[in-house]
Amino acid sequence: MPKIIFLPHKIILPQGAQFESKEGETILNVALRNNVRLEHACEKSCACSTCHCIIRKGFFSLSGWTEKEEDILDKAWGLESESRLSCQAIIGNVDIEVEIPLYNVNYITES
């Protein structure tokens, strides 16, 4: 089973975390199943960029992205060449390392 390593995020996951995933799951589903409060304002429909993440290791093991995901990613804060929407990035058979950006397009986070 591939592992997802979430790097520390000062608000969402101060200590970072590591979870097992199943091949074919999205990064967002693994995060939510493990109580990581990763924002997803559009409920996983690829219509916002609040679940934007940066893949620090294992980027090429993820599923390819669609034109729609690319268009939505253009609106993400802190976009990098290894950016993905966690609701769309499907995990392959390789461990990945994920950074959750400090900010996203939502200015207010509900507690």
Side-chain angles (χ1 to χ4, degrees):
M1 280 190 166
K3 291 183 176 70
I4 296 183
I5 299 161
F6 285 95
L7 298 174
H9 180 283
K10 90 180 198 184
I11 298 167
I12 297 172
L13 209 57
Q15 303 301 314
Q18 178 175 302
F19 305 109
E20 287 195 359
S21 66
K22 297 175 186 148
E23 191 172 339
E25 266 188 299
T26 64
I27 294 170
L28 180 59
N29 285 343
V30 174
L32 296 176
R33 186 178 72 240
N34 289 285
N35 299 314
V36 176
R37 296 183 65 197
L38 189 55
E39 284 198 61
H40 54 289
C42 72
E43 295 299 321
K44 308 176 193 176
S45 67
C46 194
C48 73
S49 63
T50 58
C51 72
H52 167 235
C53 63
I54 303 163
I55 311 305
R56 295 297 180 200
K57 291 185 182 169
F59 180 80
F60 292 105
S61 69
L62 298 173
S63 62
W65 54 88
T66 64
E67 189 174 319
K68 183 176 181 181
E69 181 182 358
E70 286 185 85
D71 290 344
I72 297 298
L73 272 171
D74 284 341
K75 301 170 188 165
W77 182 89
L79 186 66
E80 295 190 18
S81 60
E82 291 82 24
S83 288
R84 290 297 304 266
L85 296 179
S86 65
C87 70
Q88 300 299 303
I90 297 173
I91 299 163
N93 59 1
V94 174
D95 295 350
I96 61 172
E97 193 172 277
V98 177
E99 178 181 341
I100 302 168
L102 187 55
Y103 303 104
N104 66 43
V105 295
N106 283 352
Y107 293 113
I108 300 172
T109 302
E110 296 180 20
S111 346

